[in-house]
Amino acid sequence: MKKTILSLLVAMLNISAMAGVGILRPNETGVNVAKLEDGTYPVAFDPATVKTTAKGYYITFEVFTVDVYDGKLLAEIEPGDNIITGDGVIDVKSVKVEDGHYTINENEEGCLYLEPQVADTYVVCGDDDYPTYTSQGTTTLFVPVSAKMRDDGIDGDPMKSKNVLGQNIGNYLKTSWSHEFCVLNTTITVKNGKVVKIHRSYMP
């Protein structure tokens, strides 16, 4: 009887080992949008949400995190598994590993390229080398007049930049040459629950 139970356990372990990772999810970030810790975050926002006060501005931001994957789990992925990215769920049909880089579904719909980062982690290398992101929710934050803003790529010119003083940020956001402040080009730096810097980078 003991031998039979042991044989069943071994068989179940072997099946589990052959089952792949199942569903590969981005690593947990621990980001709490209701109480953002000090740091820099990719965001998106509508300049129309800016509310001006004498001491600064209130802006509603959608906060994102980069999709980062565990290298050990990625190494187990195989056809039939799924990968969750900011774009949704990708069905894994093929896996190619070359020089530490992973290609999922090469030359097929849902193709993903994942490249190594530090500490055995991977990120998606998408169009124009952008990673994928996951929304963590929205929050309204105060941007004091002491905050700073840098806008790169004005009028689509990568060589043109502008530094905006805090007292002018609200008006600048509303009258900017472009109203596109998206996760691919905008970050905020938060300190003590307030936004101390807004940066919009050049986006081709």
Side-chain angles (χ1 to χ4, degrees):
M1 183 67 176
K2 289 182 179 179
K3 288 185 178 180
T4 301
I5 294 174
L6 181 60
S7 297
L8 288 171
L9 288 172
V10 171
M12 290 174 66
L13 287 171
N14 286 337
I15 291 172
S16 177
M18 296 170 59
V21 72
I23 300 176
L24 181 63
R25 295 178 172 84
N27 294 345
E28 291 291 334
T29 64
V31 170
N32 179 5
V33 294
K35 192 175 182 180
L36 286 177
E37 296 182 358
D38 292 357
T40 299
Y41 301 90
V43 298
F45 70 94
D46 180 353
T49 68
V50 176
K51 295 182 179 179
T52 303
T53 72
K55 295 183 178 181
Y57 319 94
Y58 288 94
I59 303 177
T60 299
F61 298 97
E62 183 172 10
V63 181
F64 294 80
T65 53
V66 175
D67 293 334
V68 178
Y69 299 90
D70 187 317
K72 293 183 176 63
L73 294 177
L74 181 60
E76 298 177 11
I77 203 161
E78 62 183 27
D81 290 339
N82 302 107
I83 299 179
I84 295 179
T85 74
D87 295 322
V89 181
I90 303 297
D91 296 324
V92 178
K93 300 171 185 175
S94 65
V95 180
K96 178 182 176 181
V97 185
E98 188 174 16
D99 297 328
H101 293 68
Y102 284 77
T103 304
I104 308 297
N105 301 337
E106 185 175 30
N107 299 322
E108 297 184 70
E109 185 177 355
C111 180
L112 288 179
Y113 301 97
L114 294 105
E115 55 183 31
Q117 305 294 299
V118 298
D120 196 21
T121 59
Y122 284 76
V123 298
V124 173
C125 181
D127 295 339
D128 295 319
D129 295 329
Y130 291 120
T132 57
Y133 298 83
T134 294
S135 173
Q136 302 298 323
T138 60
T139 184
T140 300
L141 297 173
F142 184 61
V143 185
V145 292
S146 58
K148 298 178 181 179
M149 177 180 173
R150 181 176 175 86
D151 196 8
D152 294 328
I154 294 174
D155 296 327
D157 184 345
M159 303 303 294
K160 291 176 64 176
S161 298
K162 184 177 181 64
N163 292 311
V164 184
L165 298 178
Q167 62 266 33
N168 299 322
I169 287 178
N171 184 63
Y172 182 81
L173 292 176
K174 292 179 180 179
T175 60
S176 170
W177 62 276
S178 169
H179 287 162
E180 186 174 21
F181 293 88
C182 68
V183 63
L184 298 181
N185 68 4
T186 306
T187 61
I188 57 172
T189 300
V190 176
K191 188 173 182 180
N192 297 325
K194 300 177 182 178
V195 176
V196 296
K197 183 178 179 181
I198 299 173
H199 180 212
R200 179 165 64 175
S201 59
Y202 168 71
M203 189 173 70

